[in-house]
């Protein structure tokens, strides 16, 4: 039976690889890609080659109003029957800035907006449109562990504060530096794990939410806002690490993501999937009080945008 999967982050990196693999492996999927500006139409056309069912909706994930508009359009298309039943959402898009001072149009810090709040708007506005069995997959990062084993000293560990502070610029020491931006990134990924735990509690039975960790994947455009030296290292030098156990190739990471979206491996709602296996996330990531506080704050932040 044909069904819809909504996906952010399909335009590049592991998301693009995952999108192509989902379409190859599951001919019943109608993939609806969320893309910024005019990039959506050519992306959908490229993915549609070979006879696949692909459409797009425009959204700037750094603007909650834009995300709300996109989610509302998807709801309307589902209700009109223009799309087959919704059985998946993939929040793969992510952003890392060179500082912790970048503010979006909502007055909120942009890392937190893109990596946490945008997914929350989509999930909350679409949750009553899902048809069981459905799976929500949110891409996280092992930088949330904060230790050398998981980030090789390249990204500072998370520095948790109240969600009201995290959603504003300047939440971390040296906010005008790359260190501040990377701390915002790892902290946002810890927040995403917390939200997956909350989705497992709040969503109806049959709608599962899982966190996906691709590992360190050099060669993607995640660091596209970094300086020229960092960009060169990520694209030309660090990919050699995929020959070691410390990094994952884009192809492998995209394949793991596609498999997870399509139901392999089996993972209970609330699970953390490290590449192709269910695993434990960091000890810090299991904190019901923080999870509740984040849920309540996200509900407030997104309330003005219909979520």
């Amino acid at each position: 039976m044909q069904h819809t999967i909504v996906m952010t982050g399909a335009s590049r990196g592991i998301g693009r690889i995952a999108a192509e693999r989902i379409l190859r492996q599951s001919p019943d999927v109608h993939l609806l890609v969320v893309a910024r500006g005019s990039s959506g139409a050519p992306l959908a056309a490229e993915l549609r080659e070979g006879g696949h069912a692909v459409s797009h909706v425009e959204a700037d994930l750094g603007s909650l109003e834009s995300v709300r508009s996109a989610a509302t359009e998807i709801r309307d298309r589902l209700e009109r029957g223009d799309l087959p039943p919704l059985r998946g959402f993939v929040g793969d898009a992510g952003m890392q800035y060179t500082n912790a001072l970048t503010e979006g149009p909502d007055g909120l810090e942009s890392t937190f907006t893109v990596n946490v709040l945008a997914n929350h708007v989509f999930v909350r506005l679409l949750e009553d449109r899902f048809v069981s069995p459905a799976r929500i997959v949110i891409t996280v990062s092992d930088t949330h562990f904060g230790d050398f084993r998981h980030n090789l000293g390249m990204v500072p560990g998370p520095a948790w504060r109240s969600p009201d502070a995290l959603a504003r610029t300047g939440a971390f020491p040296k906010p005008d530096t790359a260190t501040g931006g990377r701390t915002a990134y790892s902290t946002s990924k810890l927040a995403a794990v917390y939200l997956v735990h909350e989705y497992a509690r709040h969503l109806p039975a049959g709608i599962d939410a899982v966190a996906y960790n691709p590992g360190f994947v050099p060669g993607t455009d995640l660091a596209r806002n970094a300086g020229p030296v960092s960009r060169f290292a990520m694209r030309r030098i660090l990919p050699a690490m995929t020959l070691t156990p410390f990094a994952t190739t884009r192809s492998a990471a995209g394949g793991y993501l596609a498999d997870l979206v399509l139901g392999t491996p089996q993972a209970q709602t609330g699970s953390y999937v490290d590449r192709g296996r269910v695993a434990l996330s960091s000890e810090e990531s299991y904190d019901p009080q923080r999870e509740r506080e984040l849920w309540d704050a996200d509900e407030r932040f997104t309330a003005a945008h219909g979520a």
Side-chain angles (χ1 to χ4, degrees), residues 90-151:
V90 188
D92 181 62
M95 183 60 74
Q96 182 182 125
Y97 292 89
T98 56
N99 58 66
L101 295 174
T102 304
E103 185 177 278
D106 307 290
L108 303 174
E109 196 274 324
S110 293
T111 312
F112 194 82
T113 300
V114 174
N115 296 352
V116 182
L117 295 178
N119 287 329
H120 193 64
V121 173
F122 275 118
V123 170
R124 294 292 276 155
L125 280 175
L126 295 176
E127 67 175 272
D128 65 344
R129 298 290 93 192
F130 284 101
V131 175
S132 176
R135 175 168 278 187
I136 295 166
V137 179
I138 306 297
T139 298
V140 294
S141 167
D142 51 10
T143 59
H144 86 276
F145 280 86
D147 57 17
F148 185 84
R149 174 190 168 198
H150 290 90
N151 62 29

Coordinates of all heavy atoms in Angstrom, one line a residue, residues 90-151:
V90 N 11.1 12.0 8.8 CA 12.6 11.9 9.0 C 13.1 13.3 9.2 O 13.1 14.1 8.3 CB 13.3 11.3 7.8 CG1 14.8 11.0 8.1 CG2 12.6 10.0 7.4
G91 N 13.5 13.6 10.4 CA 14.1 14.9 10.7 C 15.6 14.8 10.6 O 16.3 14.7 11.6
D92 N 16.2 14.9 9.4 CA 17.6 14.7 9.2 C 18.4 16.0 9.1 O 19.6 16.0 9.3 CB 17.9 13.8 7.9 CG 19.3 13.5 7.7 OD1 20.0 12.9 8.6 OD2 19.9 14.0 6.7
A93 N 17.7 17.1 8.7 CA 18.4 18.3 8.6 C 19.1 18.8 9.9 O 18.5 18.6 10.9 CB 17.5 19.4 8.0
G94 N 20.2 19.3 9.8 CA 20.9 19.8 11.0 C 21.8 21.0 10.6 O 22.2 21.1 9.4
M95 N 22.2 21.8 11.6 CA 23.0 23.0 11.3 C 24.0 23.2 12.4 O 23.7 23.0 13.6 CB 22.1 24.2 11.1 CG 22.9 25.5 10.8 SD 23.8 25.3 9.2 CE 22.4 25.4 8.1
Q96 N 25.2 23.5 12.1 CA 26.2 23.9 13.0 C 26.8 25.2 12.6 O 27.3 25.4 11.5 CB 27.3 22.8 13.1 CG 28.4 23.1 14.1 CD 29.5 22.1 14.1 OE1 30.7 22.4 13.9 NE2 29.1 20.8 14.2
Y97 N 26.8 26.2 13.5 CA 27.2 27.6 13.2 C 28.6 27.8 13.8 O 29.1 27.0 14.6 CB 26.3 28.6 13.7 CG 24.9 28.6 13.0 CD1 23.9 27.8 13.4 CD2 24.8 29.4 11.8 CE1 22.7 27.8 12.7 CE2 23.5 29.4 11.1 CZ 22.5 28.6 11.6 OH 21.3 28.6 10.9
T98 N 29.2 28.9 13.3 CA 30.6 29.2 13.8 C 30.5 30.1 15.1 O 31.5 30.6 15.6 CB 31.4 29.9 12.8 OG1 30.7 31.1 12.3 CG2 31.7 29.0 11.6
N99 N 29.3 30.2 15.6 CA 29.1 31.0 16.9 C 27.8 30.6 17.5 O 27.1 29.8 16.9 CB 29.1 32.5 16.6 CG 28.1 32.9 15.6 OD1 26.9 32.8 15.9 ND2 28.5 33.3 14.4
A100 N 27.6 31.1 18.7 CA 26.3 30.8 19.4 C 25.5 32.1 19.4 O 24.7 32.3 20.4 CB 26.5 30.2 20.7
L101 N 25.7 33.0 18.4 CA 25.0 34.3 18.4 C 24.1 34.5 17.3 O 23.5 35.5 17.1 CB 26.1 35.4 18.4 CG 27.0 35.5 19.7 CD1 28.1 36.5 19.5 CD2 26.1 35.8 20.9
T102 N 24.0 33.5 16.4 CA 23.1 33.6 15.2 C 21.6 33.5 15.6 O 21.2 32.5 16.2 CB 23.4 32.5 14.2 OG1 24.8 32.5 13.9 CG2 22.6 32.7 12.9
E103 N 20.9 34.5 15.3 CA 19.5 34.6 15.7 C 18.6 34.6 14.5 O 18.8 35.2 13.5 CB 19.2 35.9 16.5 CG 17.8 36.1 17.1 CD 17.7 37.3 17.9 OE1 18.1 37.3 19.0 OE2 17.2 38.3 17.3
G104 N 17.6 33.7 14.6 CA 16.6 33.6 13.5 C 15.5 34.7 13.6 O 15.5 35.5 14.5
P105 N 14.6 34.6 12.6 CA 13.5 35.6 12.6 C 12.5 35.6 13.8 O 11.8 36.5 14.1 CB 12.7 35.3 11.3 CG 13.1 33.9 11.0 CD 14.5 33.7 11.5
D106 N 12.6 34.4 14.5 CA 11.7 34.3 15.7 C 12.3 34.8 17.0 O 11.8 34.8 18.0 CB 11.3 32.8 15.9 CG 10.8 32.2 14.7 OD1 9.6 32.5 14.3 OD2 11.5 31.3 14.1
G107 N 13.6 35.4 16.8 CA 14.3 35.9 18.0 C 15.0 34.8 18.8 O 15.4 35.0 20.0
L108 N 15.1 33.6 18.2 CA 15.7 32.4 18.9 C 17.0 32.0 18.3 O 17.2 32.3 17.1 CB 14.7 31.2 18.9 CG 13.3 31.5 19.5 CD1 12.4 30.3 19.2 CD2 13.4 31.8 21.0
E109 N 17.8 31.4 19.1 CA 19.2 31.0 18.5 C 19.0 29.9 17.4 O 18.2 29.0 17.6 CB 20.0 30.4 19.7 CG 21.5 30.3 19.4 CD 21.8 29.0 18.7 OE1 21.2 28.0 19.0 OE2 22.7 29.0 17.8
S110 N 19.7 30.1 16.3 CA 19.4 29.3 15.1 C 19.7 27.9 15.2 O 19.0 27.0 14.6 CB 20.1 30.0 13.9 OG 19.6 31.3 13.7
T111 N 20.8 27.5 16.0 CA 21.1 26.1 16.1 C 19.9 25.3 16.8 O 19.5 24.3 16.3 CB 22.4 25.9 16.9 OG1 23.4 26.7 16.5 CG2 22.8 24.4 16.9
F112 N 19.5 25.9 17.9 CA 18.3 25.3 18.6 C 17.1 25.3 17.8 O 16.3 24.3 17.8 CB 18.1 26.1 19.9 CG 17.2 25.4 20.9 CD1 17.8 24.5 21.8 CD2 15.9 25.8 21.0 CE1 16.9 23.9 22.7 CE2 15.1 25.1 22.0 CZ 15.6 24.2 22.8
T113 N 16.9 26.3 17.0 CA 15.7 26.4 16.1 C 15.7 25.3 15.1 O 14.7 24.5 15.0 CB 15.6 27.7 15.4 OG1 15.5 28.8 16.4 CG2 14.3 27.8 14.5
V114 N 16.8 25.1 14.4 CA 16.9 24.1 13.3 C 16.9 22.7 13.8 O 16.2 21.8 13.3 CB 18.1 24.4 12.4 CG1 18.2 23.3 11.3 CG2 17.9 25.8 11.7
N115 N 17.8 22.5 14.8 CA 18.0 21.1 15.3 C 17.0 20.6 16.2 O 16.9 19.3 16.4 CB 19.4 21.0 15.9 CG 20.5 21.3 14.9 OD1 20.3 21.5 13.7 ND2 21.8 21.4 15.4
V116 N 16.2 21.4 16.9 CA 15.3 21.0 17.9 C 13.8 21.4 17.6 O 12.9 20.6 17.4 CB 15.7 21.5 19.3 CG1 14.7 21.0 20.3 CG2 17.1 21.1 19.6
L117 N 13.6 22.8 17.5 CA 12.3 23.3 17.4 C 11.6 23.0 16.0 O 10.4 22.7 16.0 CB 12.3 24.8 17.6 CG 12.7 25.2 19.1 CD1 12.7 26.7 19.2 CD2 11.8 24.6 20.1
A118 N 12.3 23.0 14.9 CA 11.7 22.7 13.6 C 11.1 21.3 13.6 O 10.0 21.1 13.1 CB 12.7 22.9 12.5
N119 N 11.9 20.3 14.1 CA 11.3 19.0 14.2 C 10.1 18.9 15.0 O 9.1 18.2 14.7 CB 12.4 18.0 14.8 CG 13.5 17.7 13.8 OD1 13.3 17.7 12.6 ND2 14.7 17.5 14.3
H120 N 10.1 19.7 16.1 CA 9.0 19.6 17.1 C 7.7 20.2 16.4 O 6.6 19.6 16.6 CB 9.3 20.4 18.3 CG 8.3 20.2 19.4 ND1 8.1 19.0 20.1 CD2 7.4 21.0 20.1 CE1 7.2 19.1 21.0 NE2 6.8 20.3 21.0
V121 N 7.8 21.2 15.6 CA 6.7 21.8 14.9 C 6.1 20.7 13.9 O 4.9 20.5 13.9 CB 7.0 23.1 14.2 CG1 5.9 23.5 13.3 CG2 7.4 24.2 15.2
F122 N 7.0 20.1 13.2 CA 6.5 19.1 12.2 C 5.8 17.9 13.0 O 4.7 17.5 12.6 CB 7.7 18.5 11.4 CG 8.0 19.3 10.2 CD1 9.3 19.9 10.1 CD2 7.1 19.5 9.2 CE1 9.6 20.7 9.0 CE2 7.4 20.2 8.1 CZ 8.7 20.8 7.9
V123 N 6.4 17.4 14.0 CA 5.8 16.3 14.7 C 4.5 16.7 15.3 O 3.5 15.9 15.2 CB 6.8 15.8 15.8 CG1 6.1 14.7 16.7 CG2 8.0 15.1 15.2
R124 N 4.4 17.8 16.0 CA 3.2 18.2 16.7 C 2.0 18.5 15.7 O 0.9 18.2 15.9 CB 3.4 19.4 17.6 CG 4.3 19.0 18.7 CD 3.7 18.0 19.7 NE 2.9 18.7 20.7 CZ 1.9 18.2 21.3 NH1 1.5 16.9 21.1 NH2 1.2 18.9 22.2
L125 N 2.4 19.1 14.6 CA 1.3 19.5 13.6 C 0.9 18.3 12.8 O -0.2 18.2 12.2 CB 1.8 20.6 12.7 CG 1.7 22.0 13.3 CD1 2.2 23.0 12.3 CD2 0.2 22.4 13.6
L126 N 1.7 17.3 12.7 CA 1.4 16.1 11.8 C 1.0 14.9 12.6 O 0.5 13.9 12.1 CB 2.6 15.7 10.9 CG 3.0 16.8 9.9 CD1 4.2 16.3 9.1 CD2 1.8 17.0 8.9
E127 N 1.1 14.9 14.0 CA 1.0 13.7 14.7 C -0.4 13.0 14.6 O -0.5 11.8 14.6 CB 1.3 13.9 16.2 CG 0.3 14.8 17.0 CD 0.6 14.9 18.5 OE1 0.1 14.0 19.2 OE2 1.4 15.8 18.9
D128 N -1.5 13.8 14.4 CA -2.8 13.2 14.2 C -3.1 12.8 12.8 O -4.1 12.3 12.5 CB -3.9 14.1 14.7 CG -4.0 15.4 13.9 OD1 -3.1 15.7 13.2 OD2 -5.0 16.1 14.1
R129 N -2.1 13.0 11.9 CA -2.2 12.6 10.5 C -1.5 11.2 10.3 O -1.7 10.6 9.2 CB -1.6 13.6 9.6 CG -2.3 15.0 9.6 CD -3.7 14.9 9.0 NE -4.7 14.6 10.0 CZ -6.0 14.3 9.8 NH1 -6.4 14.1 8.5 NH2 -6.8 14.1 10.8
F130 N -0.7 10.8 11.2 CA 0.0 9.5 11.0 C -1.0 8.4 11.1 O -1.9 8.4 11.8 CB 1.1 9.3 12.1 CG 2.3 10.1 11.9 CD1 2.5 11.3 12.7 CD2 3.3 9.8 11.0 CE1 3.7 12.1 12.5 CE2 4.4 10.5 10.8 CZ 4.6 11.7 11.6
V131 N -0.7 7.4 10.2 CA -1.5 6.1 10.2 C -0.5 5.0 10.7 O 0.6 4.8 10.2 CB -2.0 5.8 8.8 CG1 -2.7 4.5 8.8 CG2 -2.9 6.9 8.3
S132 N -1.0 4.3 11.7 CA -0.2 3.2 12.3 C -0.1 2.0 11.3 O -1.0 1.7 10.6 CB -0.8 2.8 13.6 OG -0.1 1.7 14.2
P133 N 1.1 1.4 11.3 CA 2.4 1.7 12.0 C 3.1 2.8 11.3 O 3.2 2.9 10.1 CB 3.1 0.4 11.9 CG 2.7 -0.2 10.6 CD 1.2 0.2 10.5
A134 N 3.7 3.7 12.1 CA 4.4 4.8 11.6 C 5.7 5.0 12.4 O 5.8 4.6 13.6 CB 3.6 6.1 11.7
R135 N 6.7 5.6 11.8 CA 8.0 5.8 12.5 C 8.5 7.2 12.3 O 8.6 7.6 11.1 CB 9.0 4.7 12.0 CG 10.4 5.0 12.6 CD 11.3 3.8 12.4 NE 11.1 2.7 13.3 CZ 11.9 1.6 13.4 NH1 12.9 1.4 12.6 NH2 11.6 0.7 14.4
I136 N 8.9 7.8 13.3 CA 9.5 9.1 13.3 C 11.0 8.9 13.6 O 11.3 8.3 14.7 CB 8.9 10.1 14.3 CG1 7.4 10.4 14.0 CG2 9.7 11.4 14.5 CD1 6.6 11.1 15.1
V137 N 11.9 9.4 12.8 CA 13.3 9.3 13.0 C 14.0 10.6 13.1 O 13.8 11.4 12.1 CB 14.0 8.4 11.9 CG1 15.5 8.3 12.1 CG2 13.4 7.0 11.8
I138 N 14.7 10.9 14.2 CA 15.3 12.2 14.3 C 16.8 11.9 14.4 O 17.3 11.1 15.2 CB 14.9 12.9 15.6 CG1 13.4 13.0 15.7 CG2 15.6 14.2 15.8 CD1 12.8 13.9 14.7
T139 N 17.6 12.5 13.4 CA 19.0 12.4 13.4 C 19.7 13.2 14.5 O 19.5 14.4 14.6 CB 19.6 12.8 12.1 OG1 19.0 12.0 11.0 CG2 21.1 12.6 12.0
V140 N 20.5 12.5 15.4 CA 21.2 13.1 16.5 C 22.7 13.0 16.2 O 23.1 13.0 15.1 CB 20.7 12.5 17.8 CG1 19.3 12.8 18.1 CG2 21.0 11.0 17.9
S141 N 23.5 13.0 17.2 CA 24.9 12.9 17.1 C 25.6 12.4 18.3 O 25.1 12.7 19.4 CB 25.4 14.3 16.8 OG 26.9 14.4 16.9
D142 N 26.7 11.6 18.1 CA 27.3 11.1 19.3 C 28.2 12.2 20.0 O 28.8 11.9 21.0 CB 28.1 9.8 19.0 CG 29.1 10.0 17.9 OD1 29.3 11.1 17.3 OD2 29.6 8.9 17.4
T143 N 28.2 13.4 19.4 CA 28.8 14.5 20.2 C 28.1 14.8 21.5 O 28.7 15.4 22.4 CB 28.8 15.8 19.3 OG1 27.5 16.2 19.0 CG2 29.6 15.6 18.1
H144 N 26.8 14.3 21.6 CA 26.1 14.5 22.9 C 26.7 13.8 24.1 O 26.4 14.0 25.2 CB 24.6 14.2 22.7 CG 24.3 12.7 23.0 ND1 24.5 11.7 22.0 CD2 23.9 12.1 24.1 CE1 24.1 10.6 22.5 NE2 23.8 10.7 23.8
F145 N 27.6 12.8 23.8 CA 28.3 12.1 24.9 C 29.4 13.0 25.5 O 29.6 12.9 26.7 CB 29.1 10.9 24.3 CG 28.2 9.7 24.1 CD1 27.5 9.5 23.0 CD2 28.1 8.7 25.1 CE1 26.7 8.4 22.8 CE2 27.3 7.6 24.9 CZ 26.6 7.4 23.8
G146 N 30.0 13.9 24.7 CA 30.9 14.9 25.3 C 32.3 14.3 25.7 O 33.0 15.0 26.4
D147 N 32.6 13.1 25.2 CA 33.9 12.5 25.6 C 34.8 12.3 24.3 O 34.3 12.4 23.2 CB 33.8 11.2 26.4 CG 33.0 10.2 25.6 OD1 32.8 10.3 24.4 OD2 32.5 9.2 26.3
F148 N 36.1 12.1 24.5 CA 37.0 12.0 23.4 C 36.7 10.8 22.5 O 36.8 10.8 21.3 CB 38.4 11.8 23.9 CG 39.5 11.8 22.8 CD1 39.9 13.0 22.3 CD2 39.9 10.6 22.3 CE1 40.9 13.0 21.3 CE2 40.9 10.6 21.3 CZ 41.3 11.8 20.7
R149 N 36.2 9.7 23.1 CA 35.9 8.5 22.4 C 34.9 8.8 21.3 O 34.9 8.2 20.2 CB 35.4 7.4 23.3 CG 34.9 6.1 22.6 CD 34.2 5.2 23.6 NE 33.5 4.2 22.9 CZ 32.5 3.4 23.4 NH1 32.2 3.6 24.6 NH2 31.9 2.5 22.7
H150 N 33.9 9.7 21.6 CA 32.8 9.9 20.7 C 33.0 11.1 19.8 O 32.3 11.2 18.7 CB 31.5 10.0 21.4 CG 31.0 8.7 22.1 ND1 31.4 8.4 23.3 CD2 30.2 7.8 21.6 CE1 30.8 7.2 23.6 NE2 30.1 6.8 22.6
N151 N 33.8 12.1 20.2 CA 34.0 13.3 19.4 C 35.4 13.6 19.0 O 35.7 14.6 18.3 CB 33.3 14.5 20.0 CG 34.0 14.8 21.4 OD1 35.2 14.6 21.6 ND2 33.2 15.4 22.3

